[in-house]
Every structure is written in structure tokens, then in C-alpha cells.
Amino acid sequence: MARRTLGEGKNVLRFMTGLARGMALTGGLVLVVLVILTCVSVVGRGLSTLGHSDFLQGMSQSLADLILATGTGPVNGDFEIVEAGIAFTIFSFLPICQLFGAHATVDVFTSFLSRRTNAFIITFWEIVFTGIVLLITWRLFYGLEDKFGNGETSLLLQFPIWWAYLAAFIAALVAAIVAVYCAVGRVMELTTDQRWLPRSEGAAH
């Protein structure tokens, strides 16, 4: 029975690890797209400003006209896209940070404490963090329902606001699932002295 329980625990950990890594990769891809979009928008805005500048028009009107003829300028609605995308990526990276204990920590006041005491502190904050993530996820769902019901759209691109809420909610839901697993795992580690979570890949506890 003990071996079966241990095997099932490893399967759950493997699933959670794959889920967290998948969300992180998805968030990373979205972040890369947002970076490229921002760069294109900044370059376009810069070229448009240069084309309208008195300096370039005085130096070479034909070059200024050529730049303006290309229709360069900022990407329409770039701020709206980045705002929605960043919200998604933030929640996308939470699961893997939580699972591998990669959040930044400050142990100035706890480094002198015993390993058992530190384990208790980590477990306590793990449970608190899980409660916060669950609260945020619930409020995102409430916001999703509200935005879906009132049909609110963005100012420039006119895309439904609930799209952004849905993306953030899905990522937050995964973060909540992983957070609950981590909280349970920390409690089990504290009470059984067996490792239930992967070793930290981030800041040392």
C-alpha cells in the first residue's frame, strides 16, 4: 500500500510539473510576442516622429516623404495588447515558481533558526500564498462574468475585455491548482519528514 501511495504521489508530481512547465512555456511564448510587438511599435513610432521632424524635412524632404509614405507608426492598440498579455504571462509563471520554490525570499531573520522551524515558516507562507491565489482566481472569475455580461470592449481594437479576463483566469486557475498541491505537499513534508515537492530551482530557503 505504501509503495502504491508513493507511486501515485510521483505521478501527481509529474503531472503538476508538466502542467507548470507547460504554462511557463506558453507564458514565455506570449511574452516573446509582446516584446517583438513592443519593439515594432517603438521603431514605428520613432520613424514616424523622425519623418515629421523639422530636422529631417529640412535636410532631405524626399527622405522624409519616403518614410511617411510607408505608413510607419506605432502598432494600433499596442498598449491594449500588452496590458492583456502581461496579465496572462504573470499568472503563467506563478505555477513553476511555486512548485520549485523559485520565488525571491529574504532569510536574513530566519537563517539562524533550525531547519524544522524554517520548514514550519515555509509551510505557513505556502498556505497563505495559496489562499491569496485562490482569492485572486475567484475575483478574476467574477470579473470574467461581469465583463462577459456587459459586453465591454477595448478602446482602440474593440476586442471584448472578457477575452483578457478569460486568459488570465485560465492561467490563475492553473496557478491555484499547483498552489494547493504545494501547500498540501509542504504540510506532508512537515508531518512525515519525506520529500513531496521537487527541490528548489530558485532562491534558497
Side-chain angles (χ1 to χ4, degrees):
M1 180 64 71
R3 290 183 177 179
R4 181 179 178 182
T5 303
L6 184 60
E8 291 175 349
K10 289 183 178 180
N11 290 334
V12 175
L13 175 59
R14 190 178 299 111
F15 171 78
M16 290 295 174
T17 303
L19 187 63
R21 291 188 187 279
M23 284 304 304
L25 288 173
T26 303
L29 289 175
V30 172
L31 187 59
V32 169
V33 171
L34 294 179
V35 170
I36 294 174
L37 172 67
T38 301
C39 291
V40 170
S41 187
V42 169
V43 170
R45 184 180 287 106
L47 288 175
S48 178
T49 302
L50 180 63
H52 286 94
S53 66
D54 295 335
F55 170 76
L56 184 60
Q57 291 182 3
M59 185 178 66
S60 176
Q61 184 63 46
S62 59
L63 179 58
D65 292 340
L66 178 62
I67 293 177
L68 295 176
T70 60
T72 57
V75 177
N76 185 40
D78 55 346
F79 289 105
E80 297 175 352
I81 298 174
V82 170
E83 184 179 15
I86 286 297
F88 171 78
T89 57
I90 289 173
F91 288 109
S92 295
F93 295 135
L94 279 180
I96 198 165
C97 287
Q98 190 68 8
L99 187 62
F100 288 94
H103 294 297
T105 58
V106 180
D107 57 359
V108 175
F109 302 105
T110 59
S111 58
F112 63 90
L113 298 176
S114 67
R115 183 176 180 181
R116 183 73 177 178
T117 302
N118 274 294
F120 178 81
I121 293 173
I122 291 172
T123 302
F124 170 78
W125 286 114
E126 195 89 45
I127 294 173
V128 172
F129 180 83
T130 300
I132 293 173
V133 173
L134 288 171
L135 176 62
I136 293 174
T137 305
W138 168 54
R139 297 308 296 174
L140 276 173
F141 180 73
Y142 178 82
L144 171 61
E145 285 187 318
D146 181 62
K147 299 303 179 183
F148 182 80
N150 62 30
E152 183 180 348
T153 60
S154 64
L155 180 63
L156 298 177
L157 297 180
Q158 295 294 303
F159 67 81
I161 298 296
W162 69 266
W163 290 359
Y165 273 81
L166 177 61
F169 170 72
I170 292 174
L173 183 61
V174 174
I177 293 172
V178 174
V180 170
Y181 171 79
C182 289
V184 173
R186 292 295 183 190
V187 172
M188 295 300 294
E189 287 183 346
L190 188 65
T191 55
T192 64
D193 290 327
Q194 294 180 357
R195 179 165 292 278
W196 290 76
L197 298 175
R199 293 191 177 277
S200 173
E201 290 186 352
H205 290 287

